[in-house]
Structures are given as structure tokens and as C-alpha cells.
Amino acid sequence: MNTGFSFSVLVVLAFVSYSYAWGTQGDVACEGLCKNKCAFAVSSSGDRCVLEKQVRRSGEEKYVCKTSAIQANGLKNWIETNECIEACGLERKTLGISSDSLLESSFTGKLCSPQCYQNCPNVVDLYFNLAAGEGVFLPKLCEGSVENTRRGMSEMKSSGFVAPGPDSSVDVVSSFDAPAGAPYYI
């Protein structure tokens, strides 16, 4: 009789443990990520994770992963792969989210490479939106990535074209030819 009771308790505990693990498995919470997984991750709610460095009064540096206010386009529960980090010229310990790297021709060359642009939708979505925030259309920037990137950025900024937002009635697809996999907001 004692063996039957012990077996029943064991089965119930196993079921509860399995149910708990299954229910939380795959849910990405930015605050729970280590500094080697935080940058370029997307939480289960679709918010982008951002790595921040905090310096204490003692001078000790501490890295903290936080949830940003920036939403990923249709992505959730995403931790970027090492392959995409390498192919796109990124670093795991990138602090914050910035469009500054778009001015660097070596970075833009990797971002626009087929290995990154066609295989890493999370990275492309992030930089598509960062470029749009600067008034730059990423597919157009990639077309000119062979040329001087800084010149291309300044020309596109002065062109007056701003990538349309999600509620825009502008038909971007017919306006530009973009590489396969480029996000469009119509």
C-alpha cells in the first residue's frame, strides 16, 4: 500500500513538473537573459531586448538585459543565432539599439550580404526600422552598399523620401525593387 501511494505521488509530481516546464519553455523574458544572449533577442510579448551597462559607485560594471519599448515586426520568443550574429557583422555584447552602425560601410556590407539579408529576418527587421527612423530605405541603402555608404546615407536623407509606416497607403513594393525577404510596410 505504501508503494502505491509513493508511485501516485511520484506520477503527480512528474506531471506538475512537466506541465510547468512545458508552459514556460520557449518564453523569452528579457530580464532573465544573460549578457551573451540579450542583444538582438525578442521577448515573448514581441518587445526587443536591450543590453545596458550599469556602473556602480565603486566603479564595478554590471550588464543588465532589459525590455525596450521597440516592438519586433511579427517576431516573438527569438534569441538570435550565432550564425546570424556573425553573418550580419554584429556583436553579442552590443549595448543599446542605435542606427549609428549603418554609417559604417563594413557593417552595411555584411548586413546587406545575402547570408544576412536573406537568412536573418530579425536583424533585417531591426535595421530596416532603424534606417526608416533616419529617413533611409534599407533596400536602397543596400543597393548602394558597394559605393560609399556615407554618401548614400546623405543622398537619401536629402531626397525627402521617408519609408512609410504600417498605416501608410503608399505602395512601397511598386516604388522600389527590394531583395527577397525585405520587410515591407504597406
Side-chain angles (χ1 to χ4, degrees):
M1 202 180 297
N2 193 10
T3 305
F5 178 74
S6 297
F7 180 73
S8 297
V9 170
L10 183 62
V11 168
V12 169
L13 286 175
F15 177 74
V16 169
S17 297
Y18 173 77
S19 297
Y20 176 75
W22 184 80
T24 60
Q25 187 177 18
D27 287 348
V28 174
C30 297
E31 286 71 14
L33 294 176
C34 66
K35 68 181 177 182
N36 294 328
K37 298 288 182 189
C38 180
F40 312 106
V42 180
S43 72
S44 58
S45 63
D47 296 317
R48 291 196 175 278
C49 302
V50 62
L51 185 62
E52 294 181 355
K53 180 170 70 170
Q54 298 175 343
V55 180
R56 297 187 177 178
R57 289 183 185 183
S58 65
E60 177 188 357
E61 295 178 348
K62 180 180 178 183
Y63 292 90
V64 179
C65 189
K66 293 188 173 185
T67 303
S68 76
I70 300 172
Q71 284 274 311
N73 185 28
L75 295 171
K76 292 181 179 183
N77 290 321
W78 190 286
I79 296 177
E80 196 53 75
T81 65
N82 290 332
E83 292 79 13
C84 281
I85 295 292
E86 186 176 326
C88 299
L90 303 170
E91 294 183 26
R92 280 278 181 204
K93 295 181 183 176
T94 299
L95 298 175
I97 298 174
S98 172
S99 62
D100 293 349
S101 54
L102 290 170
L103 293 171
E104 300 171 20
S105 60
S106 60
F107 171 75
T108 306
K110 285 192 171 193
L111 176 66
C112 297
S113 72
Q115 296 85 2
C116 177
Y117 203 87
Q118 295 174 1
N119 297 310
C120 305
N122 175 41
V123 174
V124 172
D125 176 67
L126 172 62
Y127 282 95
F128 183 90
N129 289 320
L130 289 174
E134 298 293 331
V136 177
F137 189 56
L138 185 61
K140 186 77 170 165
L141 179 65
C142 286
E143 282 177 14
S145 69
V146 178
E147 300 171 16
N148 185 334
T149 303
R150 289 184 188 270
R151 182 173 165 230
M153 287 282 283
S154 65
E155 285 177 1
M156 283 184 273
K157 279 186 169 183
S158 66
S159 71
F161 177 77
V162 177
D167 295 329
S168 176
S169 61
V170 175
D171 183 9
V172 177
V173 177
S174 65
S175 301
F176 295 97
D177 291 328
Y184 288 106
Y185 298 94
I186 300 174

